[in-house]
Amino acid sequence: MPEKTVYIDDVGDVLFRHSNKARHLNISIRPFAGVKVSIPVGMSYASATRFVNQKKKWIIQHLRKIKEYEIQLTVFDESTVYNTAYHKLCLKSSDRENISVRLSNKKINVTYPISLNSNSKDVQSAIRLGIDRALKVEAKEFLPERVNKLAEQFGFKYNRLAIKNIKSRWGSCSRKKNINLSIHLMRLPDNLIDYVILHELAHTVHLNHSNRFWDLLDEVTGGAKILDKELKKYRIAIY
């Protein structure tokens, strides 16, 4: 879909993009991605720009919060050593016009133009995209088999398993015994991956955190409270 970048005073570059899915004008502000505006088909760039200017105070407040958050985040460069379970990050500059993100031979290859600095928002965003892609591949290869094995070992029954790029929680279980697991589980040690899986499988029996739930989880993990405390040391998002 058509897009346009407009510089707005006190805000900076704002990317405006028409979207068939957008029913209303939507402003998003994300780390290393800046301000993006989704515009319904039929709305002009001029109208969208006027709307953004009306929301400038709100945008500036959120940009300040995002900047504070970005300071705490990992900044990758060509000297950074970063590995997922099965992939290695390889970042390099090249005589090219666009940023390339590609998984190949167990490597997360991110190539960016020489004209860009590796700590630019676009490059950092591309790196995170590559890491997420690698985690998704690894999670889909590893987690279904592991869930089946643990469910069979401890006698749990679940309905469906979904593996998603969830950054708010490690996993969840619905009343219909559908289990959702985050691809970011692949960044945990094996014993904590098993703990999260067993935690959600235990919810197929007790859909709460009652004493009976913890007793069951303790029985199948051999130390649920200790593992839960250990899990809290990890952030779901890398970044």
Side-chain angles (χ1 to χ4, degrees):
M1 295 298 292
E3 61 181 48
K4 181 179 182 180
T5 299
V6 177
Y7 180 84
I8 295 179
D9 289 341
D10 301 321
V11 172
D13 288 337
V14 176
L15 177 65
F16 292 84
R17 178 179 293 156
H18 280 96
S19 170
N20 289 323
K21 296 180 180 179
R23 295 185 179 182
H24 308 283
L25 191 147
N26 179 63
I27 302 172
S28 67
I29 307 172
R30 294 175 181 165
F32 300 107
V35 182
K36 295 183 179 180
V37 182
S38 295
I39 312 172
V41 174
M43 178 180 286
S44 68
Y45 288 117
S47 296
T49 302
R50 283 195 296 270
F51 179 84
V52 169
N53 274 295
Q54 291 170 5
K55 296 291 184 180
K56 187 187 287 189
K57 184 177 179 180
W58 175 86
I59 293 171
I60 291 171
Q61 289 175 343
H62 279 72
L63 281 173
R64 286 174 183 159
K65 292 179 181 178
I66 289 292
K67 189 64 179 177
E68 291 173 1
Y69 179 66
E70 285 179 348
I71 292 171
Q72 303 174 34
L73 304 183
T74 303
V75 177
F76 299 91
D77 60 33
E78 293 189 21
S79 66
T80 301
V81 177
Y82 186 89
N83 298 292
T84 64
Y86 309 119
H87 290 81
K88 176 183 178 181
L89 175 64
C90 296
L91 175 65
K92 65 178 181 179
S93 59
S94 174
D95 186 16
R96 55 176 299 125
E97 295 182 359
N98 302 312
I99 299 173
S100 169
V101 180
R102 188 167 56 92
L103 299 184
S104 177
N105 298 321
K106 302 300 181 182
K107 293 180 180 179
I108 305 165
N109 294 299
V110 180
T111 308
Y112 61 97
I114 296 173
S115 58
L116 288 179
N117 192 303
S118 64
N119 64 5
S120 73
K121 291 182 177 180
D122 289 341
V123 175
Q124 294 296 310
S125 180
I127 292 167
R128 285 162 172 76
L129 174 64
I131 292 171
D132 283 352
R133 285 180 182 174
L135 292 173
K136 184 176 181 180
V137 168
E138 294 172 6
K140 292 198 170 184
E141 287 180 356
F142 177 80
L143 292 177
E145 183 178 346
R146 192 62 186 160
V147 172
N148 286 335
K149 184 173 182 178
L150 290 173
E152 183 178 349
Q153 180 179 348
F154 294 104
F156 291 111
K157 301 291 184 183
Y158 67 95
N159 185 25
R160 291 198 306 269
L161 172 65
I163 297 168
K164 304 176 181 179
N165 189 4
I166 306 169
K167 296 181 181 178
S168 58
R169 57 176 63 185
W170 297 110
S172 64
C173 179
S174 73
R175 292 186 178 278
K176 294 183 179 180
K177 300 186 179 183
N178 295 326
I179 292 176
N180 294 315
L181 294 177
S182 171
I183 62 172
H184 294 277
L185 280 175
M186 300 307 297
R187 295 175 29 247
L188 295 176
D190 289 347
N191 67 322
L192 292 181
I193 294 176
D194 283 357
Y195 169 70
V196 173
I197 293 172
L198 288 168
H199 186 113
E200 302 311 331
L201 287 171
H203 276 314
T204 64
V205 179
H206 302 294
L207 196 61
N208 51 45
H209 288 102
S210 64
N211 289 336
R212 289 190 298 171
F213 166 82
W214 284 108
D215 287 344
L216 173 59
L217 188 56
D218 198 55
E219 180 183 333
V220 297
T221 62
K225 293 293 186 180
I226 295 173
L227 289 166
D228 196 66
K229 186 177 180 180
E230 185 68 22
L231 181 64
K232 286 181 170 61
K233 296 178 183 178
Y234 292 84
R235 290 190 302 171
I236 299 175
I238 326 176
Y239 334 152

